[in-house]
Amino acid sequence: MGCAPCNGGDLRPLDILLEVVPTSGVRSGIRMLQVQGARGFQFSASARHALSFPASQIFLYCDLFPEEFSIIITLRILSIPPKKNEYIFTVMKEESNTADMKVTLGSRPPCTKNEKSQFWFNASRKGLYLCDGSAWVAMLEVKERLDYVEEYQNLMTNSETMGIEIFVIPKVGVFAATANRYTPPGSAIYKWIDGKFLFYQNIPTYQAQSWRYFTIGKKIFLAVANFEQNERGQEFSVIYKWSHRTEKFFPYQRIATHSARDWEAFDIEGEAFLAVANHREGDNHNINSVIYRWNTRTGLFEANQTIPTSGAYDWEFFTVGPYSFLVVANTFNGTSTKIDSHIYIWLDGSFQLFQSILTFGAADWEVFCIGDRIFLTVANSHSYDSGTVVPNNYYAINSSIYELNITAQMFVKFQDLLTYSALDWEFFSVGEDYFLVVANSFDGFTFSVNSIIYRWQGYEGFVAVHRLPTFGCRDWEAFHTTAGSYLIYSSAKEPLSKVLKLKTV
């Protein structure tokens, strides 16, 4: 036989404080305190039974509840003054007259040792967070879901943009560095100010392909991959260093490169490394790419290892447990784009071949994790071989996702996705959902091609959920601010990049 629960008609309005604090005066186990102009009661845990009252005082006609039970209180905030922190409540230690924990409203407050054990309520995300002394840890959070994507900002750039790097300099802000095609005027750095990117600094570059932000201790660097020679016929890429005094980047070190496409920065066993993807030297695509190691004595990067590559386009570093890996995207060997790209593993002080994967004009690798599963996805740009019959379309080909099989100790194909001259993948998450967005650049007829957002759906793999109109799309980057989550894409065919906002429910 079932029993129906008590319903709303069985309840009566109740002033809890009035029940436990009689009008005749404060009873034992309660103290009235005043902190920063606000009065409140401090309840003693040792005298908790002295503060209890019968459940029948709340439920008039229902006796299903015991005398003692928990009450959940919901605070509804009707309005929050902008740029103002308010305290909902304060929890105080026994035998203490000073506030120990508090809940703060408003924009994200600092989280340092001084704020440890304090709470912050983020109204926009409907989340309650606890400061652990260095970062805000989610205690209660409404999980967001991606609803749709809307155009947010048109960012006019110096010229066509081959790549974008989003980075955060602590206590300074969010920045975007664009790798622009022409010199002059070179490439630009933009800063996120009042909800949009604004021009911040211009840097001379030579058909820049990409930027890489990295830190070594407290030092902040930004490396550019230059594809062409300068006006004196010199071919090099440049590492820039951040000045904390001027809050600008300045040239720090030149490194000789050969039509560099990409830099990758990483740490192994406490040492800093940089890997450059050298694309070609003259008409020769089969050349060495170089890994540089940071010399702590000289404060410079020095060549540490060379790796043979074929039209290298991208490096991607990742770790699996104690092991470090580096995967290269090989694009063209002089006659064909149907060539192996290679995964290397760090053993005995150098990178050694771990696995080879057949790719088709590989332009990018993206590594990501979902739970304890590790994936690698490649952006295949086109299929060309001088010794075979010309296909109907060089550019409409599959890009592939591979999953690490721990038992077999190798990456195995997990899923193929049809792409159109794919040049980049970007992995991001919204709430508990995971996504991949691909940069489709050309379908064989036009550069106006939809780039696709795919959502992870478990057994089904990644499924297309949003189609985004793009023009000559070259690169995607995801980033977050206190106002929300965004995507930005660069165009290699027009001096315009677009910021898109992820609208959630």
Side-chain angles (χ1 to χ4, degrees):
M1 179 178 175
C3 181
C6 302
N7 56 54
D10 298 321
L11 299 174
R12 71 176 178 87
L14 177 69
D15 185 335
I16 296 176
L17 284 180
L18 184 61
E19 297 293 336
V20 299
V21 183
T23 56
S24 58
V26 176
R27 68 170 60 170
S28 175
I30 303 176
R31 286 196 301 165
M32 178 177 287
L33 300 176
Q34 180 168 323
V35 178
Q36 296 180 349
R39 289 185 178 180
F41 292 101
Q42 182 185 56
F43 297 89
S44 172
S46 62
R48 59 184 182 275
H49 291 290
L51 308 178
S52 61
F53 54 89
S56 60
Q57 292 181 226
I58 298 180
F59 298 99
L60 300 181
Y61 309 111
C62 179
D63 58 0
L64 296 180
F65 287 88
E67 181 175 342
E68 296 182 11
F69 60 94
S70 299
I71 299 176
I72 298 175
I73 301 174
T74 301
L75 301 178
R76 184 181 181 188
I77 304 166
L78 299 178
S79 63
I80 302 175
K83 298 182 179 180
K84 181 180 179 181
N85 292 335
E86 296 183 358
Y87 306 116
I88 303 176
F89 61 81
T90 299
V91 181
M92 308 181 72
K93 286 184 178 178
E94 288 193 72
E95 309 304 329
S96 172
N97 292 328
T98 59
D100 183 54
M101 292 187 289
K102 58 187 176 183
V103 176
T104 305
L105 302 178
S107 59
R108 180 187 293 267
C111 176
T112 66
K113 291 182 179 179
N114 294 332
E115 289 81 28
K116 188 174 182 179
S117 299
Q118 293 182 9
F119 288 91
W120 165 52
F121 180 73
N122 185 338
S124 63
R125 289 181 176 266
K126 303 180 181 66
L128 183 65
Y129 303 86
L130 172 68
C131 176
D132 66 2
S134 60
W136 291 104
V137 180
M139 305 300 290
L140 296 171
E141 189 175 42
V142 175
K143 298 299 182 182
E144 296 179 305
R145 293 185 63 87
L146 178 61
D147 189 16
Y148 62 95
V149 181
E150 70 174 4
E151 187 171 320
Y152 184 80
Q153 181 187 1
N154 287 329
L155 181 64
M156 300 304 299
T157 53
N158 289 344
S159 57
E160 296 92 328
T161 302
M162 311 307 290
I164 293 179
E165 178 83 337
I166 302 292
F167 55 95
V168 177
I169 298 179
K171 300 181 181 180
V172 181
V174 179
F175 294 85
T178 59
N180 297 119
R181 181 177 180 182
Y182 291 120
T183 296
S187 298
I189 298 173
Y190 302 84
K191 184 179 181 182
W192 187 264
I193 300 174
D194 296 331
K196 60 183 177 180
F197 282 116
L198 298 177
F199 175 80
Y200 187 79
Q201 182 180 357
N202 203 75
I203 293 179
T205 54
Y206 303 91
Q207 199 168 326
Q209 299 295 300
S210 64
W211 288 99
R212 182 66 64 208
Y213 172 85
F214 63 97
T215 61
I216 300 176
K218 295 183 179 180
K219 301 180 180 68
I220 296 172
F221 298 95
L222 196 59
V224 65
N226 285 324
F227 194 75
E228 294 293 344
Q229 300 175 346
N230 67 1
E231 57 276 1
R232 297 179 181 178
Q234 301 168 321
E235 193 170 354
F236 57 84
S237 294
V238 183
I239 300 172
Y240 292 84
K241 186 179 180 182
W242 175 259
S243 168
H244 292 279
R245 182 179 61 83
T246 64
E247 294 196 340
K248 300 285 185 180
F249 284 97
F250 65 92
Y252 183 78
Q253 182 181 359
R254 283 187 178 187
I255 295 179
T257 53
H258 301 288
S259 298
R261 285 285 191 181
D262 179 58
W263 285 104
E264 179 70 320
F266 52 93
D267 294 324
I268 298 178
E269 299 170 355
E271 293 194 82
F273 293 84
L274 271 180
V276 65
N278 285 324
H279 187 69
R280 60 175 169 81
E281 186 174 3
D283 294 329
N284 182 20
H285 290 79
N286 301 302
I287 61 175
N288 286 333
S289 290
V290 185
I291 298 171
Y292 298 86
R293 186 196 300 254
W294 176 259
N295 186 318
T296 55
R297 183 180 59 82
T298 63
L300 297 172
F301 281 97
E302 299 174 352
N304 182 73
Q305 182 181 357
T306 58
I307 295 180
T309 52
S310 298
Y313 220 95
D314 176 63
W315 284 108
E316 181 83 350
F317 175 82
F318 61 98
T319 59
V320 179
Y323 299 101
S324 297
F325 295 87
L326 195 60
V327 56
V328 65
N330 285 325
T331 304
F332 185 59
N333 64 6
T335 60
S336 178
T337 63
K338 185 180 178 181
I339 57 177
D340 284 339
S341 291
H342 303 294
I343 304 171
Y344 298 89
I345 185 172
W346 179 266
L347 292 174
D348 300 324
S350 66
F351 282 102
Q352 301 177 27
L353 183 63
F354 174 77
Q355 183 181 349
S356 299
I357 296 177
L358 182 63
T359 53
F360 300 83
D364 179 62
W365 285 102
E366 180 84 350
V367 64
F368 58 93
C369 300
I370 297 178
D372 58 358
R373 302 171 68 178
I374 301 169
F375 297 89
L376 264 179
T377 181
V378 64
N380 286 323
S381 65
H382 62 294
S383 178
Y384 169 78
D385 192 316
S386 60
T388 61
V389 177
V390 177
N392 292 331
N393 194 326
Y394 292 106
Y395 307 99
I397 57 175
N398 285 332
S399 291
S400 301
I401 301 172
Y402 300 85
E403 182 177 4
L404 179 63
N405 185 313
I406 299 294
T407 303
Q409 295 187 3
M410 64 183 298
F411 283 91
V412 297
K413 185 176 288 189
F414 172 78
Q415 184 178 5
D416 284 327
L417 295 170
L418 180 61
T419 54
Y420 298 90
S421 192
L423 296 178
D424 183 60
W425 285 102
E426 179 77 357
F427 176 78
F428 64 97
S429 61
V430 177
E432 295 180 336
D433 293 327
Y434 302 99
F435 299 89
L436 277 173
V437 58
V438 65
N440 285 327
S441 65
F442 185 61
D443 65 1
F445 307 97
T446 178
F447 294 103
S448 296
V449 186
N450 284 341
S451 291
I452 311 296
I453 294 179
Y454 300 87
R455 183 175 63 216
W456 171 255
Q457 293 189 184
Y459 183 74
E460 298 175 79
F462 283 92
V463 177
V465 290
H466 297 285
R467 291 164 172 80
L468 311 176
T470 53
F471 183 70
C473 187
R474 178 62 185 84
D475 189 24
W476 281 103
E477 292 292 323
F479 66 99
H480 308 275
T481 73
T482 55
S485 300
Y486 304 83
L487 290 172
I488 182 171
Y489 90 84
S490 67
S491 171
K493 293 299 175 181
E494 63 179 350
L496 175 68
S497 294
K498 287 182 179 288
V499 180
L500 309 178
K501 188 166 186 178
L502 304 180
K503 303 298 288 186
T504 59
V505 292

